[in-house]
Amino acid sequence: MPSVMSEVLFHTVDTCQGHEADIVILSFGRDAAGARSSFMKSFNRVNVALTRAKSHLILARIPPKDGSGDIIDKIHEEVDQGRWPIGNLD
């Protein structure tokens, strides 16, 4: 019997372009200084990450809004307006 882990793929935002998966877990991180990671400042790169899931997209560790109007703020707007379901595992 194959291991479950043999079915799990790990990608960075940049290496997932052109790939799809049934379930995608996207974890937002921060750089060493605690600022938003560089990929979060690029709409195109975040768009690639958000559109790889065929059926389920799980967003983990989403940074708080900062009022900059960037893609992270837009994700919060979608959730706040009820267009994206949200669950909290805390």
Side-chain angles (χ1 to χ4, degrees):
M1 172 183 271
S3 164
V4 172
M5 290 305 290
S6 68
E7 300 294 320
V8 176
L9 302 174
F10 295 90
H11 285 284
T12 65
V13 171
D14 296 316
T15 63
C16 71
Q17 190 161 357
H19 298 278
E20 288 185 324
D22 292 329
I23 300 169
V24 171
I25 301 171
L26 178 59
S27 179
F28 294 87
R30 294 188 174 273
D31 66 16
R36 291 184 178 181
S37 298
S38 62
F39 92 89
M40 288 187 255
K41 297 174 185 170
S42 167
F43 175 83
N44 291 340
R45 291 173 77 197
V46 174
N47 186 54
V48 165
L50 294 175
T51 59
R52 301 301 94 192
K54 293 180 192 175
S55 66
H56 290 82
L57 173 63
I58 301 167
L59 305 178
R61 298 179 51 108
I62 302 172
K65 289 184 198 179
D66 67 2
S68 67
D70 67 4
I71 189 70
I72 301 303
D73 283 2
K74 295 194 183 312
I75 289 171
H76 280 282
E77 288 173 18
E78 293 294 310
V79 170
D80 292 346
Q81 293 176 11
R83 291 192 283 253
W84 285 16
I86 187 166
N88 192 337
L89 300 178
D90 290 339

